[in-house]
Amino acid sequence: MPSSSSPAASRVRRRNRTLAAIAAGLAAVVTAVLALTLDDGPSGTASQDSAVADTSTPDAQTSALLALARRDTDDPLAVGDADAPVVMIEYSDFQCPYCGKFARDTEPELIRSYVDKGVLRIEWRNFPIFGEESEQAARAAWAAGRQGKFWEFHDQAYSTTHKKNTGAFSTDKLTAMAEAAGVTDLAQWRADMDSDAADTAIQRDQNEGYSLGVTSTPAFLVNDVPVLGAQPADTFEQTIEAAEAAAKAAR
């Protein structure tokens, strides 16, 4: 065990202080916010009714949910215009088979139909819940993002379905994915993977999800409307179009 004055102990204390500040900030944002109650069925999907917003949700809750969209123009883990009327926040794990199904079957069509037309922005949140390989994959993806290759890495990681924690996201496999994604400075990528900044970024995403009540993946927030599980494309399309109409009406 490291002594209280060792560099490792100092790093832990710094990380704990950072995470406490993040958690406090999130708590202020999501106080009294609608919880996302996940009810996954055997297929990994939630009932379509779960995607319908409660019309009695107070304006304060709606505002708090909308405020979770970061809209950072420099965010490498986002795609789409920062000022798009609809933001879909995605909480996902690279080992989750249903996240992979969404990434392969549904997300490309949403990008063509809504992101490319300026209607939708997708903001990724790392939400690793399946153990060490999930954590490592999240770090690897975040580090790829530091070189502008997050989405390319995302596509490599989700190109096929893997059994959880069986070596599919080992260091060697992650390095191969990074190379295939076009990451050019692998030494810097490895350093970024192991950095305090990676710790902070991933914990920020996890704390945000847990504050909303997210406990499994994939989970989505489309403006202020939760969509839970790998729903059919029609569900996402209807929810995005309804959110766009609501955003226009609120102007």
Side-chain angles (χ1 to χ4, degrees), residues 66-195:
L66 293 173
L68 291 175
R70 296 170 188 172
R71 295 185 179 274
D72 179 357
T73 56
D74 296 323
D75 184 357
L77 276 63
V79 61
D81 296 342
D83 61 353
V86 183
V87 176
M88 182 172 75
I89 301 173
E90 175 184 354
Y91 301 89
S92 285
D93 182 313
F94 283 107
Q95 289 202 98
C96 166
Y98 302 107
C99 300
K101 178 177 174 58
F102 171 80
R104 291 187 299 272
D105 298 346
T106 305
E107 194 165 37
E109 182 56 39
L110 297 183
I111 290 173
R112 285 190 294 269
S113 298
Y114 300 103
V115 174
D116 291 348
K117 295 177 181 178
V119 173
L120 178 68
R121 174 179 174 84
I122 300 174
E123 296 187 356
W124 172 274
R125 303 288 191 264
N126 276 305
F127 201 74
I129 58 174
F130 291 118
E132 183 176 352
E133 287 193 45
S134 293
E135 294 277 354
Q136 282 295 98
R139 287 171 165 276
W142 182 86
R146 302 282 281 183
Q147 297 186 43
K149 296 297 182 180
F150 169 80
W151 290 101
E152 291 83 355
F153 184 93
H154 164 281
D155 292 346
Q156 289 294 321
Y158 280 139
S159 61
T160 59
T161 300
H162 309 283
K163 290 185 177 180
K164 301 182 186 73
N165 299 310
T166 57
F169 292 101
S170 66
T171 300
D172 288 346
K173 296 289 181 61
L174 290 171
T175 301
M177 290 177 194
E179 289 181 307
V183 173
T184 55
D185 190 338
L186 291 175
Q188 184 61 53
W189 172 75
R190 293 186 187 97
D192 287 335
M193 276 183 68
D194 295 334
S195 67

Side-chain angles (χ1 to χ4, degrees), residues 195-210:
S195 67
D196 287 346
D199 280 344
T200 299
I202 292 168
Q203 286 292 333
R204 177 191 183 190
D205 289 353
Q206 286 182 306
N207 287 349
E208 180 182 293
Y210 285 130

